[in-house]
Amino acid sequence: MFLIKNLSRISPTSSSIVTRFRNSGSFTLASRFCTAQETQIQSPAKFSNDVDQSQYSGLAPTREGEKPRVVVLGSGWAGCRLMKGIDTNLYDVVCVSPRNHMVFTPLLASTCVGTLEFRSVAEPISRIQPAISREPGSYFFLANCSRLDAEAHEVHCETLTDGLNTLKPWKFKIAYDKLVVASGAEASTFGIHGVMENAIFLREVHHAQEIRRKLLLNLMLSDTPGISKEEKKRLLHCVVVGGGPTGVEFSGELSDFIMKDVRQRYSHVKDDIHVTLIEARDILSSFDDRLRRYAIKQLNKSGVRFVRGIVKDVQSQKLILDDGTEVPYGLLVWSTGVGPSHFVRSLGLPKDPTGRIGIDEWMRVPSVQDVFAIGDCSGYLETTGKPTLPALAQVAEREGKYLANLLNEIGKANGGRANSAKEIELGAPFVYKHLGSMATIGRYKALVDLRESKDAKGISMTGFVSWFIWRSAYLTRVVSWRNRFYVAINWFTTFVFGRDISRI
């Protein structure tokens, strides 16, 4: 972003500036940024206001003597694991994402109620792959990808200005040698009216911040004079739609918060606040019946009410189920799974049966050269005969690790440049082996299922030991020692002093 902004100081018609770059030994860096039709540099800021949008700036194709360029779209589990494993002696790495960090999603629900602080689950990309902030040909761009031109080996992007009225977003292009689409998925709303306007999802740090602020606001408003009893009950009713691991874990964290902190610090409203979990089928469908029954029993003990039903309409203060039941709410959290994003749907690439980008066993998009897709945005084509893998962090992480190793082998075989890997033997295809599932349900209880499937033989357990295993496992999976320290300290201070209820 800094480089792009500073390019606005360079005049497109001034050859003397380019000469100064050459004389100073910096011409290679400057020449990477050029317009699509010219070899000179054009101001992105000027383009966004009064320049034809077909002639915007960007990163030009790599030249002889330069390392091949891998462009990664996204900074989720798959993209970050790939960037961590890519050999930066072989490739320059360019990441394009609307966020400059990776979110450790298994612990995101804990931040909503103050068990953990937000920075504990956010890992900066520059720490995951230091070359992005050190190497002259590697960059991170805070932007969204809007279009893929596979024939020209280019992606079209638009900067993310975060709603600043004083700064208009501008467009730019990036030429790639290898492209990895790891843009993830978006929350599924199933076309239900009012979900986008009234519900809060739980996929990003800003979602957790919004949930925390609204929860604490409702607690404080419900304790002020002049509020009716009905409005007080509505404000203090927290509804979670979706009985998957995310919805169940958030319900468990919320019930813990109510039992341990609300009853001490908001004693005037402690009897009015409650949680309802709505699911159309069975909660935690990936677990077996014994573990599901245990989870329902423990959640009921914690005060979580389980309702089986399908949401038909969502309004600003209530939702309506398929049987006509009206459920008032003060906080609505939507966690019903994920589906293909608008960007993925807009790509003219083959799709799998669920609408995700179709790939083969080596993570390649077969219809185009040098394009790969990993994570929640991709799925096996029907021609492979393989089922679509679940949208889980462990799947995305291992796909990223596999593709990083594959690209490294391609680079060592001199196939890193565009259109140069057609004859290279790719080796063994990707094989996914499920390592098990875990979910915390509050009150120092959790479910741990280490079987490959819920019908297979293996270890499955519940209770306090499972909770200890859950915490230990995720503490070791946190990306950096810095964040492991943050998480451990947060858990300790929460245990000793309680959760932080400051509304900041």
Side-chain angles (χ1 to χ4, degrees):
M1 180 69 77
F2 175 79
L3 286 171
I4 294 177
K5 289 181 179 178
N6 279 273
L7 291 174
S8 62
R9 301 176 184 173
I10 303 176
S11 169
T13 58
S14 176
S15 60
S16 61
I17 294 181
V18 176
T19 302
R20 285 199 295 272
F21 267 102
R22 183 184 292 112
N23 292 340
S24 64
S26 302
F27 180 72
T28 301
L29 176 60
S31 64
R32 288 192 176 109
F33 291 87
C34 65
T35 63
Q37 300 178 0
E38 303 170 352
T39 57
Q40 59 196 13
I41 300 175
Q42 179 161 311
S43 164
K46 180 181 289 187
F47 151 72
S48 64
N49 293 317
D50 53 16
V51 177
D52 180 7
Q53 295 190 359
S54 65
Q55 299 184 6
Y56 44 83
S57 304
L59 284 179
T62 56
R63 302 180 177 184
E64 289 296 329
E66 297 176 345
K67 289 184 286 187
R69 180 184 301 136
V70 175
V71 175
V72 182
L73 305 181
S75 57
W77 282 85
C80 286
R81 184 60 185 86
L82 176 131
M83 287 188 284
K84 181 179 180 181
I86 203 78
D87 188 348
T88 54
N89 293 318
L90 298 173
Y91 296 100
D92 284 331
V93 180
V94 175
C95 178
V96 179
S97 176
R99 67 184 189 200
N100 71 340
H101 58 275
M102 170 192 164
V103 179
F104 193 80
T105 48
L107 298 179
L108 188 59
S110 299
T111 65
C112 299
V113 294
T115 306
L116 296 176
E117 288 304 315
F118 301 111
R119 65 178 178 178
S120 301
V121 300
E123 191 69 44
I125 293 174
S126 59
R127 288 180 178 270
I128 295 172
Q129 180 46 268
I132 283 179
S133 57
R134 297 175 184 172
E135 297 293 327
S138 296
Y139 307 94
F140 169 79
F141 296 134
L142 190 71
N144 285 311
C145 181
S146 56
R147 188 165 70 88
L148 164 63
D149 187 345
E151 291 187 5
H153 274 61
E154 289 180 338
V155 288
H156 298 230
C157 306
E158 183 171 320
T159 58
L160 191 71
T161 55
D162 204 19
L164 292 176
N165 296 327
T166 56
L167 184 63
K168 293 183 180 180
W170 60 88
K171 296 183 179 181
F172 58 96
K173 297 179 183 179
I174 304 174
Y176 64 84
D177 292 290
K178 300 288 184 272
L179 174 67
V180 180
V181 183
S183 55
E186 63 183 26
S188 295
T189 64
F190 306 103
I192 299 172
H193 173 264
V195 175
M196 295 296 297
E197 296 81 4
N198 300 298
I200 305 175
F201 304 104
L202 187 52
R203 294 182 54 77
E204 304 286 349
V205 171
H206 67 84
H207 293 151
Q209 292 172 328
E210 186 178 359
I211 291 171
R212 184 167 173 175
R213 285 178 58 82
K214 189 162 188 177
L215 175 62
L216 294 175
L217 176 64
N218 289 351
L219 280 168
M220 291 182 282
L221 289 178
S222 64
D223 205 20
T224 55
I227 190 171
S228 66
K229 186 176 181 179
E230 291 74 17
E231 180 66 5
K232 182 176 182 178
K233 291 183 67 175
R234 183 190 70 80
L235 286 174
L236 295 175
H237 187 200
C238 305
V239 176
V240 182
V241 179
T246 301
V248 169
E249 289 188 337
F250 174 71
S251 299
E253 287 282 355
L254 193 53
S255 65
D256 268 3
F257 174 64
I258 293 169
M259 295 180 68
K260 297 178 183 177
D261 298 271
V262 171
R263 291 188 177 183
Q264 292 182 7
R265 305 179 193 187
Y266 292 95
S267 57
H268 298 129
V269 300
K270 64 181 181 180
D271 297 326
D272 296 304
I273 185 169
H274 58 283
V275 182
T276 297
L277 176 61
I278 300 175
E279 171 56 46
R281 300 180 183 86
D282 294 323
I283 68 170
L284 299 173
S285 58
S286 61
F287 293 82
D288 65 24
D289 291 338
R290 181 180 69 87
L291 298 181
R292 286 202 301 267
R293 288 195 298 269
Y294 178 85
I296 293 173
K297 180 181 177 181
Q298 293 300 320
L299 289 172
N300 287 336
K301 284 183 178 180
S302 300
V304 178
R305 186 168 66 102
F306 176 60
V307 173
R308 191 187 301 274
I310 300 174
V311 178
K312 288 296 184 183
D313 186 43
V314 178
Q315 300 176 13
S316 60
Q317 297 184 356
K318 65 180 180 181
L319 57 84
I320 302 173
L321 301 181
D322 55 343
D323 61 359
T325 303
E326 295 185 355
V327 183
Y329 66 86
L331 172 67
L332 176 61
V333 176
W334 195 270
S335 178
T336 58
V338 296
S341 65
H342 173 74
F343 169 67
V344 169
R345 294 194 301 269
S346 70
L347 294 176
L349 299 175
K351 303 295 195 299
D352 79 338
T354 64
R356 301 194 282 183
I357 299 172
I359 57 173
D360 63 12
E361 298 94 326
W362 293 272
M363 308 289 116
R364 299 177 301 181
V365 181
S367 59
V368 291
Q369 284 291 320
D370 300 319
V371 177
F372 303 82
I374 52 177
D376 295 350
C377 69
S378 66
Y380 287 124
L381 289 166
E382 288 185 287
T383 54
T384 64
K386 292 190 173 185
T388 298
L389 296 175
L392 299 175
Q394 61 174 296
V395 176
E397 183 181 28
R398 270 183 281 167
E399 286 181 344
K401 180 180 180 180
Y402 169 84
L403 185 55
N405 293 333
L406 179 63
L407 290 176
N408 290 341
E409 292 301 319
I410 291 174
K412 292 175 183 177
N414 297 319
R417 298 210 174 273
N419 300 312
S420 63
K422 297 179 181 179
E423 306 300 326
I424 293 178
E425 180 65 36
L426 297 181
F430 175 75
V431 177
Y432 172 69
K433 182 180 179 181
H434 187 61
L435 297 179
S437 303
M438 296 185 291
T440 179
I441 52 179
R443 300 180 66 192
Y444 304 111
K445 303 290 194 303
L447 313 176
V448 172
D449 189 350
L450 301 181
R451 297 172 294 181
E452 288 190 38
S453 69
K454 60 184 179 182
D455 300 321
K457 294 182 179 180
I459 298 174
S460 64
M461 62 182 73
T462 60
F464 176 80
V465 174
S466 298
W467 174 84
F468 183 80
I469 293 173
W470 176 86
R471 281 209 165 180
S472 301
Y474 281 135
L475 183 62
T476 61
R477 298 302 297 163
V478 173
V479 178
S480 67
W481 282 103
R482 165 183 169 269
N483 276 20
R484 289 173 195 168
F485 179 77
Y486 282 155
V487 169
I489 291 297
N490 286 168
W491 279 341
F492 176 75
T493 54
T494 297
F495 178 77
V496 175
F497 303 108
R499 294 171 177 83
D500 181 13
I501 59 170
S502 303
R503 185 175 183 268
I504 301 174

